């Protein structure tokens, strides 16, 4: 399972809120909900997050065995 626990810490460190993602970067509320619940998101979403946060994929996502 892919989990996005690291995303929230990276966002905090970079001073980026979910409000900023929605309002300034046009993230849909459903996408943010999917991230919070560790549900499926597209690679395009992951790419966009890495660009916004100026980080690597491992800074926002992690594989956890079931």
């Amino acid at each position: 399972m892919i989990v996005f626990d690291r995303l929230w810490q990276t966002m905090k460190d970079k001073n980026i809120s979910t409000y900023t993602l929605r309002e300034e970067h046009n993230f849909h509320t459903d996408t943010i909900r999917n991230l919070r619940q560790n549900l499926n998101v597209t690679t395009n979403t992951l790419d966009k997050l890495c660009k916004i946060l100026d980080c690597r994929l491992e800074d926002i996502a992690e594989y956890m065995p079931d």
Side-chain angles (χ1 to χ4, degrees):
M1 161 184 249
I2 303 296
V3 295
F4 299 104
D5 297 341
R6 293 178 178 183
L7 169 63
W8 312 113
Q9 185 60 50
T10 300
M11 286 176 58
K12 184 178 179 181
D13 294 346
K14 304 277 185 163
N15 201 29
I16 301 286
S17 66
T18 55
Y19 177 84
T20 302
L21 291 179
R22 284 192 318 272
E23 299 301 319
E24 293 181 19
H25 300 287
N26 300 315
F27 273 71
H28 195 278
T29 304
D30 290 342
T31 301
I32 294 171
R33 180 180 45 79
N34 286 351
L35 288 163
R36 285 200 186 277
Q37 296 178 358
N38 297 315
L39 298 175
N40 291 334
V41 294
T42 66
T43 54
N44 185 45
T45 296
L46 297 175
D47 180 61
K48 194 171 178 182
L49 283 168
C50 287
K51 286 178 185 170
I52 292 166
L53 297 169
D54 187 30
C55 68
R56 297 169 48 119
L57 184 57
E58 57 266 23
D59 295 329
I60 62 174
E62 178 181 17
Y63 172 74
M64 299 291 285
D66 290 335

